[in-house]
Amino acid sequence: MISQLNPRQREAVRYIDGPLLVLAGAGSGKTSVITRKIAYLVETCGYQARHIAAVTFTNKAAREMRERVGTLISGQAARGLTISTFHNLGLNFLRREHKKLGYKAGFSIFDAEDALGLIRDILIAEHGGDSDQASVVQNRISAWKNDMVTAEQAVAGATGPADMLCAQAYVRYQRALRAYNAFDFDDLILLPVQLLQSDPDTLAEWQQRIRYLLVDEYQDTNTTQYALVNLLVGSRQGLTVVGDDDQSIYAWRGARPENLAQLAQDFPHLKVIKLEQNYRSTGRILRAANTVIANNPHVFEKALWSEYGPGEPIRVICCPNEDAECERVVTEILDHRLRRGGQYRDYAILYRGNHQARLLELKLQQFQVPYRLSGGTSFFARNEVKDVMAYLRLLINPDDDSAFLRIINVPRRKIGASTLEGLATYAGERGIGLLAACDELGLQTVLPEAAVGRLREFADWLAQVRRRAQGDDPIDAIRGMLTDIDYEGWLHQNASAPAVAERRFANVLALVEGLQKTLERDDASERDSTGNDNGIEAAIARLVLRDLMERQEEEDDSADKVQLMTLHASKGLEFPHVYIIGLEEDLLPHRNSIDTDNIEEERRLCYVGITRARQTLTLTYCSRRKQYGEMQACEPSRFLAELPEDDLEWEGRTGTDPAASKTRAQETLAGLRNLFD
């Protein structure tokens, strides 16, 4: 097992004498180190799997880690092993310890949309028409939580009216969450940290439960995640963290690459092992990556290398405009695939901003090239679909408080945040759901008569819809429900243009049609043991299951399609052939980064893009690009000037090499002959 690793990897697996930082360059086999170290701790060092936890940032990474560990240890030896995301670890903590924080079992988790809706309601109630600021306030609250700043501390430290508005909204927001017995995404880390800091007994229990901690992508941790790691590790210092400061590209969402340097201060006996051998890319690609990133300051120096030979030169293509750029890339892929006999999924096109994908999609469609756009919005993730699904969930489960809170003011029913706080407090004291509380006589003792009237009107109407939906024509009842609330009119009220509202309502109609088809497809195998049709409840459940299955298929990388994604989304992936488009000032690096003097993160983003390529790398930029409706002259990205000139092959700047063109033409002709043969 360990014999398959290189010397530095083996050293990292075997080192257990103190805290360890594995500085792992791109493509250096860090996941192998983590998974084999888990097996080494269990099989050689005598650790029980239930006392080991490995945390990372994405479900996909955690799933891959679990699969790999499963091939190394299994059965009783693997029992109790924790491999999860940071937020799943926090959620498991809160499930065990919620009572100590004053929360009840069955708490809700607010996603970003739920949280945004709550903040919007608070702003309307407190400041009239300031709901347009909801996204700004939400981001500010999230940043405070990630930096371990409480609502009270935010108020005390507020500077200026805008900051005070956010801080006061933070106070009301936290009160509302507590009243709803709910947490938001950031609370899943912040609240465990606060409890561990304030309760020595709970801290001792968790330090005893987790005796060795492994952390992946450590450069992406924020302040609260760093604090959680330090608290759990404690004096035992059974810790291995794997990270790469050159791949820290998430400062905009709270990540602190300086946490890697902070480790050496918090753990004076920290050992550092560098993984510099790359198992992905050719020498020229790695030399380009090393040369670019060398322009950033470093606490830990490293240089990637591989045994794969120099490989092909890196091509840099200057295009007259973005239309020509996208067409050139698409025809390049067609030509390259024809000459080399590869598959479409071997090619990835990376870009700085999602807006660059629109023209690419048109060109790919024009040339009939299959493609997969990563980061697109899932059908069931669209707001209008989530709204209607929340109504459906509440129809089949009146105790679904999360669904109740999502749709109680969609469309608006003049039921404000104060009313909902009072309702939630009353329901909590009575131990019942929010919808059930609407019908209780005692509610009028804690809420104004007008508010109680509006809540009861909603509850009575929903009960009527439920009765109709359980009748002979549930689909007709659901269409009637949408008519009752004039959901189409609500979409038009809130859309930026009529066409946007029409597109969103078409999604709603597609959802209802899908539900109808699910009902129609019911057969004997989908009926219960009494022979009765499971009806609308089962149909809705199957619709949700279908969404989950479709999302799993979306994650399937085996489809033969060109991959389109942002540079941020490409992190952790690799492709034989990579095209990075738009290497221009104001695009890569981005204008905001230039204005705020944050070029270092943009350079790391460029480094991440370069190191996605295994065999060939092509970079493009435009002489002119349309901005704000007008063609503007473009300046090549400073990162192009930082590349090693000897490894580059320029096109469009000083003409094309006739010999190279002739060779390419001969390869294309040979590819065509092979195709017809």
Side-chain angles (χ1 to χ4, degrees), residues 196-298:
L196 291 171
Q197 287 177 330
S198 62
D199 187 337
D201 291 339
T202 302
L203 177 61
E205 288 173 17
W206 278 86
Q207 288 179 344
Q208 186 65 17
R209 181 175 287 126
I210 298 177
R211 302 180 190 179
Y212 203 99
L213 183 63
L214 303 99
V215 186
D216 190 19
E217 304 286 9
Y218 204 72
Q219 76 281 349
D220 293 337
T221 55
N222 58 34
T223 302
T224 51
Q225 289 160 342
Y226 185 90
L228 181 62
V229 169
N230 280 15
L231 286 163
L232 291 174
V233 170
S235 59
R236 183 181 283 114
Q237 300 200 348
L239 174 68
T240 291
V241 305
V242 181
D244 181 4
D245 50 351
D246 290 334
Q247 295 189 73
S248 180
I249 57 174
Y250 297 119
W252 51 276
R253 67 184 190 198
R256 292 169 56 88
E258 56 267 35
N259 283 349
L260 282 173
Q262 185 67 33
L263 273 172
Q265 298 178 35
D266 292 340
F267 298 96
H269 302 296
L270 180 75
K271 184 177 179 65
V272 179
I273 297 175
K274 299 177 185 179
L275 303 184
E276 297 173 293
Q277 182 174 357
N278 175 281
Y279 294 93
R280 174 186 300 162
S281 308
T282 64
R284 279 195 170 104
I285 290 169
L286 295 180
R287 191 155 49 243
N290 289 333
T291 307
V292 166
I293 206 64
N295 290 278
N296 274 3
H298 287 84

Side-chain angles (χ1 to χ4, degrees), residues 184-198:
D184 68 14
F185 206 56
D186 298 314
D187 288 332
L188 298 181
I189 309 296
L190 177 60
L191 292 180
V193 167
Q194 290 175 339
L195 181 59
L196 291 171
Q197 287 177 330
S198 62

Side-chain angles (χ1 to χ4, degrees), residues 403-638:
F404 177 93
L405 290 170
R406 181 175 183 91
I407 52 88
I408 188 62
N409 272 315
V410 178
R412 294 210 179 280
R413 298 182 174 90
K414 298 182 180 179
I415 298 172
S418 297
T419 297
L420 291 173
E421 281 185 41
L423 176 67
T425 302
Y426 177 83
E429 292 171 351
R430 295 278 294 119
I432 57 178
L434 297 176
L435 185 60
C438 293
D439 283 328
E440 293 233 332
L441 290 173
L443 187 61
Q444 58 199 29
T445 64
V446 296
L447 288 177
E449 183 179 346
V452 173
R454 285 191 286 269
L455 288 169
R456 286 182 178 162
E457 182 181 354
F458 171 75
D460 290 345
W461 167 77
L462 195 68
Q464 293 173 20
V465 174
R466 185 180 300 110
R467 285 193 293 271
R468 292 201 303 269
Q470 291 169 344
D472 294 334
D473 195 344
I475 297 300
D476 186 60
I478 290 166
R479 290 197 178 105
M481 176 188 76
L482 295 171
T483 302
D484 289 348
I485 62 176
D486 189 20
Y487 190 74
E488 185 175 11
W490 163 257
L491 290 175
H492 277 276
Q493 273 183 340
N494 291 276
S496 57
V500 174
E502 290 165 10
R503 196 159 56 244
R504 290 176 179 167
F505 194 64
N507 289 332
V508 171
L509 296 179
L511 175 67
V512 176
E513 184 181 347
L515 187 59
Q516 182 173 15
K517 288 180 179 177
T518 303
L519 275 169
E520 291 170 352
R521 281 196 300 267
D522 272 350
D523 56 25
S525 65
E526 293 174 323
R527 297 175 187 277
D528 64 23
S529 58
T530 63
N532 296 320
D533 198 319
N534 287 329
I536 193 68
E537 292 91 345
I540 292 171
R542 281 194 290 279
L543 201 63
V544 173
L545 179 61
R546 193 182 79 188
D547 168 43
L548 293 173
M549 296 296 290
E550 284 176 358
R551 274 192 259 177
Q552 287 176 354
E553 289 170 11
E554 283 175 13
E555 294 178 357
D556 181 11
D557 297 326
S558 63
D560 190 23
K561 298 178 180 180
V562 173
Q563 305 294 302
L564 272 62
M565 66 189 70
T566 64
L567 287 159
H568 282 100
S570 73
K571 187 168 175 290
L573 303 176
E574 60 181 75
F575 307 93
H577 312 290
V578 168
Y579 293 78
I580 305 178
I581 66 172
L583 269 98
E584 301 145 29
E585 293 292 296
D586 295 346
L587 195 50
L588 182 65
H590 195 273
R591 163 54 55 188
N592 291 344
S593 301
I594 297 172
D595 291 342
T596 58
D597 195 25
N598 189 24
I599 298 299
E600 290 174 14
E601 176 143 340
E602 292 291 295
R603 188 174 283 112
R604 292 194 291 267
L605 196 56
C606 182
Y607 172 86
V608 165
I610 291 171
T611 53
R612 299 312 95 196
R614 285 161 47 190
Q615 298 171 23
T616 70
L617 175 64
T618 304
L619 312 174
T620 69
Y621 67 98
C622 295
S623 300
R624 298 172 67 81
R625 187 179 293 273
K626 185 174 285 188
Q627 295 178 351
Y628 310 110
E630 296 182 3
M631 292 300 291
Q632 307 273 349
C634 299
E635 182 181 349
S637 170
R638 67 192 71 188

